[in-house]
Amino acid sequence: MRGLRAGVAMVAAVVLGSGTAGCSLVLPGDDDQGPISVGTTDTVTTLDPAGAYDAGSWALFSNLYQSLLTYVPGTGTPVPDAASRCDFKGGDLRTFECELREGLTFGNGREVTAEDVKFSFDRVKRINSPQGPQSLLDTLRSVTTEGRTITFRLTVPDATFPFKIATGAGAVVDSKRYPADRLRTGTEADGSGPYRLESYRPKAVAELRPSKSYRGAVQHKGGAVTVRYYRDSAAMSRAWKQRSIDVAGRLMPPADIAGHSLSDTGVKLMESTGSETRSLFFNLRGGSPFEQQPVRQAVAAVIDREALARDVHRRTVEPLYSLIPLNLTGHSTAFFDLHPRPDPEAARALLRRAGITTPVRFTIAFSQGAATQEEAALLKKQLEATGLFEVATQYVEWTEFQKGYAAGAYDAYCVGWLADFPDPDNFTAPLVGRTSSFRSGYDNPRVEKLIEATQSSSQRSRVTKDFRAIQEIIAQDVPVVPLWQKKDYVLSSSSVSGTQYLSDGTGLWRLWELGRI
């Protein structure tokens, strides 16, 4: 659910720090023009890091909370943030140790302790929220502290663990302000990140102000920022055209991006090589039409990705035939190899051999995003044109949508995915692993063994074969059909600098990099 840089070095890394001194955030002077206003269509599910695993929530978390590790612009290797150093111990990738940086305080003035770090990880696993990030911590067995030292012991070797704790899953919260066994409610957040939350109105606006007490990896000064949340891309497009916002982030309508001209005065479009993907997931639970593999295979055989990219997304996306996007280690074309073009006759044969009565009736659910309604409509048209399927489409508000697919309420559902960290593991384990974030009911022991194999080596290039093997199995089992991947785009006034850092592929939303020229 977060953005990922394509082409960065995929090294899970040896030593991740050596006690580098922290830098306090330098506050800017008064800005007569007021806060920079940033628009987005993403939704914040909750302000509590234990209860959210979505792009909108984590974008805000990366500004309000600190994790032990983070990413600096231009790299895909985690560096210390709340920690002064982190590294694996013992050589077997089962013990990871961090030293907490000195002088950290939460925005409320309380000192950050190693016990706060342990508390934060323990509560994610204890609360085990269906919408939370606990699946990223599935290899974590225990957390212990001694002084400022935090030790993580893992159930299996996991070279990706440093990447995982550099995300919102590793956000450190104030143990005195957050319940240990339930999510915190309300409109306040107590973190030690570069910003403090001055005010927040759900689904409307978040007012962020630089934190005077922040110490960590961020060295650039940050100014005041107002984040405005829009119900859909059309509403944000109107706000942008009226210049009610300085920056238009996720997700502008494809037509706005495709229609942008280099001659547009006072406007700039930042484009980065991201790896946001979108896929059609199936509910494999008992009683679902997709419990039967041939039905899933038949759907995969007739979807026309080229038409989706051309007719709905105005070529701002590329057709995707694998779980792992292009230019990442382990990318393959497993789905293309089976069906290089839409093949209704192959779909008909699959259903006939399985004795499945047609038309197969089912519903595709979808939620927020750019052109999601048009996308669902075209999928319906493609599938029904074969005479093999009868499809209904259903829009669901984002929070309810998350709860719905977790509970198995939908036959099929379209979901976008932005990787949490720069490693191909984030396109396999969270999507098709036993503890999948999308709760599809898919469970294949061969896939689980391959996922463990890919996590057990710090030399990521050595597990390419395993990643490709996973994708070959998925193309046959079809718990999910990849649809497309896209670049990341940010529209802004030419007077605003730093917008290239809002979507640089590491999953961080660096609002502190924004400034006025």
Side-chain angles (χ1 to χ4, degrees):
M1 282 170 267
R2 265 133 285 278
L4 174 62
R5 176 194 308 281
V8 297
M10 298 299 172
V11 181
V14 283
V15 176
L16 298 173
S18 56
T20 304
C23 294
S24 298
L25 204 65
V26 180
L27 300 183
D30 292 336
D31 187 347
D32 293 337
Q33 295 177 281
I36 292 176
S37 181
V38 181
T40 179
T41 61
D42 286 329
T43 299
V44 176
T45 303
T46 173
L47 294 177
D48 189 333
Y53 190 13
D54 59 85
S57 300
W58 277 26
L60 200 56
F61 293 171
S62 60
N63 292 275
L64 302 179
Y65 299 98
Q66 267 186 300
S67 298
L68 290 169
L69 300 170
T70 188
Y71 301 96
V72 296
T75 73
T77 301
V79 300
D81 190 15
S84 59
R85 66 156 184 90
C86 287
D87 49 42
F88 279 107
K89 298 294 184 182
D92 64 353
L93 300 179
R94 289 175 181 264
T95 303
F96 193 71
E97 185 180 280
C98 293
E99 190 78 12
L100 185 65
R101 192 185 294 274
E102 294 185 1
L104 300 183
T105 58
F106 294 107
N108 58 40
R110 181 176 167 272
E111 180 185 2
V112 180
T113 68
E115 285 301 317
D116 289 311
V117 177
K118 171 179 167 56
F119 172 86
S120 300
F121 281 92
D122 287 348
R123 74 185 293 267
V124 168
K125 294 181 72 70
R126 181 183 298 113
I127 293 173
N128 195 31
S129 168
Q131 285 78 51
Q134 72 281 351
S135 62
L136 282 181
L137 304 180
D138 60 350
T139 63
L140 177 59
R141 186 179 70 194
S142 66
V143 186
T144 58
T145 64
E146 183 176 347
R148 307 191 70 79
T149 302
I150 304 107
T151 302
F152 301 90
R153 291 183 172 83
L154 312 179
T155 56
V156 295
D158 187 359
T160 67
F161 190 72
F163 291 135
K164 294 172 179 177
I165 68 171
T167 70
V172 180
V173 302
D174 187 341
S175 61
K176 305 301 182 184
R177 301 288 184 97
Y178 289 76
D181 58 357
R182 65 186 186 280
L183 295 177
R184 179 180 178 177
T185 58
T187 58
E188 296 182 340
D190 288 287
S192 56
Y195 282 96
R196 59 180 175 80
L197 187 62
E198 184 170 89
S199 66
Y200 175 69
R201 284 189 292 125
K203 300 181 181 181
V205 64
E207 298 284 355
L208 278 62
R209 298 295 180 267
S211 172
K212 296 179 181 180
S213 60
Y214 171 79
R215 290 176 61 82
V218 174
Q219 299 183 33
H220 190 276
K221 65 181 181 180
V225 174
T226 298
V227 181
R228 300 195 181 280
Y229 296 94
Y230 295 93
R231 65 180 181 275
D232 53 36
S233 57
M236 187 167 71
S237 175
R238 288 192 294 271
W240 166 250
K241 290 172 182 176
Q242 294 166 2
R243 294 301 183 266
S244 300
I245 50 178
D246 299 304
V247 180
R250 289 173 37 85
L251 291 160
M252 287 292 280
D256 286 25
I257 300 300
H260 174 73
S261 170
L262 293 177
S263 63
D264 292 346
T265 58
V267 176
K268 62 182 178 181
L269 175 67
M270 299 303 301
E271 175 185 308
S272 61
T273 308
S275 294
E276 177 184 351
T277 66
R278 189 165 176 85
S279 302
L280 176 65
F281 283 82
F282 298 118
N283 177 5
L284 276 64
R285 296 171 177 84
S288 166
F290 293 109
E291 181 183 8
Q292 301 182 77
Q293 182 183 14
V295 180
R296 307 193 301 269
Q297 291 175 324
V299 171
V302 299
I303 287 179
D304 187 344
R305 296 167 176 82
E306 294 282 351
L308 286 174
R310 180 189 66 241
D311 301 338
V312 174
H313 297 284
R314 308 293 183 91
R315 302 193 186 280
T316 60
V317 306
E318 295 290 335
L320 182 62
Y321 297 90
S322 66
L323 289 175
I324 300 172
L326 185 67
N327 295 331
L328 293 184
T329 300
H331 170 76
S332 72
T333 55
F335 281 83
F336 183 87
D337 295 342
L338 288 175
H339 302 290
R341 61 188 60 82
D343 193 344
E345 289 310 310
R348 190 180 306 279
L350 283 164
L351 297 175
R352 183 173 58 248
R353 285 196 300 268
I356 295 171
T357 302
T358 57
V360 178
R361 296 176 174 85
F362 65 93
T363 298
I364 297 176
F366 62 96
S367 190
Q368 65 186 28
T372 54
Q373 184 171 352
E374 295 90 334
E375 179 180 82
L378 184 53
L379 286 172
K380 170 184 169 70
K381 181 179 179 181
Q382 291 177 0
L383 291 163
E384 291 189 336
T386 66
L388 303 174
F389 305 100
E390 187 175 306
V391 183
T393 61
Q394 176 187 8
Y395 174 83
V396 186
E397 187 274 331
W398 176 244
T399 302
E400 292 305 313
F401 181 68
Q402 288 182 294
K403 294 177 182 178
Y405 66 63
Y410 316 126
D411 301 326
Y413 41 102
C414 287
V415 188
W417 179 255
L418 284 82
D420 314 293
F421 54 86
D423 188 275
D425 174 78
N426 204 228
F427 286 94
T428 53
L431 272 61
V432 295
R434 185 172 292 129
T435 57
S436 164
S437 302
F438 296 115
R439 310 295 179 95
S440 67
Y442 179 67
D443 185 356
N444 186 319
R446 291 186 299 157
V447 170
E448 291 302 310
K449 288 182 179 179
L450 286 165
I451 287 174
E452 289 184 10
T454 64
Q455 294 175 340
S456 65
S457 175
S458 60
Q459 302 298 317
R460 307 309 283 154
S461 60
R462 294 183 179 180
V463 293
T464 299
K465 183 178 178 180
D466 291 329
F467 279 121
R468 288 177 176 166
I470 291 172
Q471 294 182 96
E472 289 175 3
I473 295 171
I474 296 303
Q476 290 288 344
D477 288 353
V478 201
V480 55
V481 178
L483 299 176
W484 51 256
Q485 73 176 89
K486 67 174 293 186
K487 295 179 179 180
D488 296 325
Y489 301 95
V490 178
L491 274 169
S492 73
S493 163
S494 58
S495 64
V496 176
S497 63
T499 54
Q500 68 270 30
Y501 299 116
L502 291 187
S503 184
D504 75 340
T506 56
L508 297 179
W509 211 38
R510 298 184 176 92
L511 295 175
W512 58 85
E513 294 283 356
L514 298 178
R516 295 192 189 275
I517 301 173

